[in-house]
């Protein structure tokens, strides 16, 4: 059974460590906030100038001056800080964020990512994605393994315009988990979703990946 | 009332237009992230001057009927320098028809270009955008990562166990003819305090334009802002006006009270 969106988010949350400063992208990555292990102190950063995102506000506590990068109203947790966009991106580009989790349209076998534009379609802009992939210590992609049309998203080389080169450390999909082997500059298959086979992953992946059958475990769900 | 404080944005903008400070073809920085922290009444005042052919430097482009969307509806903007423009159909139509020119900047590059311009720095190197279309036509150069070179700081010399260099892209600073910013509080000197995530781009923009105009919610007396709490020192601010902001919300997300 391929993982559901929530199961992908839960697996991504397993990468968190106590005290981590983390930036979550819009969409499926946002769900990761729901699976932060109990008792773990994780600081969520929002690139519009907030470190320490809290839960959504109650109706009477909504504040138009307090939003996240997805423009949703939020709250700030105890110990939070506000800062300008340049301070926020100094934090991102200066390597002061431990991990970010974002979605992708394509990932190349060398760890390039494309997630901001499709030629011929309306371009909305890259927002902070290029800064995040260039500056954050550990860059994790959470995505569906294949496009809605069934095309491979893990490809030899991205055909869509890049967001960043050789910057992805880990990919979590509905089928499997892949970790970048920096020496080989290829992703290594480390985990399979329950019931998913190595053959199925190979069939749905056009990128060259490293597989050591004995070293592949099953994603805990 | 200090000579920086004005009652009526429309009257000041009219005066600035008569003096040629607000004019066709000028560049304007506009603070805000989405609709949060936009100088909403100053945008309306700028629209009402009728100036055209503007280059607007702003992270987003408002929505169809609010923020910079108002200036798009009236076709007063010729070019946008932004990082993300998702929420605006007027924008999309004008962009696709070729009426509107758009330069997309990574959000951190945009913020740093403004910060640099305001600090008198004409250009800087950043890793963001290397190997992407953002770097097309720009100089690139390899440096050690600052955090991996704590002895020679990218100057020549013998390093013990030198790390590998990384490629960086040369980006230029931005400085505009006019900046419109939104703050929570001002004093007569123009010291500004922002509120929560409404701060975003305004502090840098207030340093990076020939004329800086702030819209504020509250005006207090000189000395009533603790100097330790000033975000933008008053010398950066040329004029300000107190307004009642609508503060529209794009996505009202709530949880149930327990």
């Amino acid at each position: 059974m391929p993982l559901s969106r929530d199961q992908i988010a839960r697996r991504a949350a397993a990468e968190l460590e106590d005290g981590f400063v983390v930036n979550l992208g819009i969409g499926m990555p946002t769900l990761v906030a729901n699976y932060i292990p109990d008792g773990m102190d994780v600081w969520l950063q929002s690139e519009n100038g907030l470190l320490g995102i809290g839960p959504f506000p109650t109706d009477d506590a909504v504040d138009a001056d307090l939003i996240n990068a997805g423009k949703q109203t939020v709250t700030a947790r105890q110990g939070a800080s506000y800062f300008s966009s340049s301070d926020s991106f100094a934090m991102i580009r200066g390597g002061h964020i431990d991990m970010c989790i974002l979605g992708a349209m394509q990932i190349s076998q060398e760890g390039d990512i494309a997630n901001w534009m499709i030629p011929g379609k309306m371009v909305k802009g890259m927002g902070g994605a290029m800064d995040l992939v260039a500056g954050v210590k550990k860059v994790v992609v959470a995505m569906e393994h294949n496009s809605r049309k069934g095309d491979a998203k893990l490809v030899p080389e991205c055909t869509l315009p890049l967001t960043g080169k050789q910057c992805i450390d880990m990919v979590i999909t509905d089928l499997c988990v892949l970790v970048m082997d920096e020496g080989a500059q290829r992703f290594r298959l480390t985990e399979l979703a329950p019931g998913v086979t190595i053959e199925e992953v190979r069939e749905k992946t056009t990128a060259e990946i490293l597989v050591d059958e004995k070293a592949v475990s099953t994603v805990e769900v | 009332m200090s000579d920086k404080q004005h009652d009526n944005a429309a009257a000041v903008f009219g005066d600035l237009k008569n003096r040629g400070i607000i004019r066709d073809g000028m560049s304007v920085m506009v603070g805000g992230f989405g609709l949060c922290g936009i100088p909403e009444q100053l945008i309306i005042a700028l629209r009402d001057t009728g100036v055209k052919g503007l280059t607007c430097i702003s992270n987003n482009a408002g929505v169809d009927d609010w923020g910079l969307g108002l200036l798009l509806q009236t076709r007063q903007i010729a070019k946008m320098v932004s990082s993300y423009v998702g929420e605006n159909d007027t924008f999309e139509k004008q962009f696709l028809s070729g009426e509107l020119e758009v330069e997309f900047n990574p959000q951190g590059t945009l913020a740093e270009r403004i910060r640099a311009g305001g600090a008198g720095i004409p250009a800087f190197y950043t890793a963001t955008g290397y190997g992407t279309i953002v770097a097309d036509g720009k100089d690139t150069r390899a440096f050690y990562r600052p955090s991996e070179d704590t002895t020679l700081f990218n100057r020549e010399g013998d390093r013990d166990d030198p790390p590998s260099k990384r490629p960086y892209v040369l980006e230029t600073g931005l400085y505009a003819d006019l900046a419109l910013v939104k703050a929570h509080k001002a004093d007569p000197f123009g010291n500004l305090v922002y509120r929560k995530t409404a701060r975003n781009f305004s502090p840098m923009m207030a340093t990076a334009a020939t004329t800086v105009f702030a819209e504020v919610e509250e005006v207090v007396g000189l000395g009533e802002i603790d100097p330790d709490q000033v975000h933008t020192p008053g010398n950066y601010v040329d004029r300000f006006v107190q307004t009642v902001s609508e503060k529209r919300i794009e996505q009202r997300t709530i949880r149930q009270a327990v």
Side-chain angles (χ1 to χ4, degrees), chain A residues 15-29:
Chain A
E15 294 303 307
L16 299 170
E17 293 179 28
D18 198 35
F20 258 23
V21 172
V22 178
N23 183 294
L24 300 178
I26 293 161
M28 187 159 45

Side-chain angles (χ1 to χ4, degrees), chain A residues 41-153:
Chain A
D41 199 26
V42 169
W43 294 82
L44 299 177
Q45 197 251 18
S46 189
E47 62 261 31
N48 55 319
L50 166 60
L51 176 58
I53 306 173
F56 292 136
T58 52
D59 195 40
D60 57 348
V62 166
D63 185 337
D65 288 339
L66 183 45
I67 63 169
N68 64 16
K71 287 141 192 166
Q72 297 171 312
T73 49
V74 292
T75 57
R77 59 166 278 187
Q78 279 199 331
S81 51
Y82 301 118
F83 34 83
S84 70
S85 300
S86 66
D87 287 331
S88 180
F89 282 93
M91 195 180 281
I92 290 166
R93 292 145 69 113
H96 310 283
I97 306 271
D98 296 297
M99 186 164 109
C100 69
I101 303 174
L102 59 174
M105 298 191 279
Q106 285 181 331
I107 302 290
S108 82
Q109 60 194 18
E110 295 199 335
D112 301 348
I113 176 171
N115 74 348
W116 76 282
M117 105 179 241
I118 300 173
K121 286 204 176 169
M122 178 60 197
V123 183
K124 294 185 169 182
M126 69 291 280
M130 287 191 181
D131 306 285
L132 287 161
V133 299
V136 170
K137 285 186 200 156
K138 178 171 176 172
V139 181
V140 177
V141 166
M143 66 176 195
E144 307 291 340
H145 200 88
N146 294 91
S147 73
R148 278 192 200 126
K149 284 194 286 178
D151 294 332
K153 294 171 76 175

Side-chain angles (χ1 to χ4, degrees), chain A residues 105 115-127 160-161, chain B residues 60-62 64 72 80 82-104 133:
Chain A
M105 298 191 279
N115 74 348
W116 76 282
M117 105 179 241
I118 300 173
K121 286 204 176 169
M122 178 60 197
V123 183
K124 294 185 169 182
M126 69 291 280
L160 296 170
Chain B
N60 313 99
D64 284 286
L72 287 167
M80 290 284 318
S82 304
S83 87
Y84 188 82
V85 296
E87 283 49 78
N88 196 313
D89 292 337
T90 314
F91 183 101
E92 190 166 336
K93 275 188 209 123
Q94 292 181 21
F95 177 63
L96 293 174
S97 71
E99 268 179 274
L100 178 67
E101 189 188 340
V102 184
E103 179 188 318
F104 284 115
I133 58 174

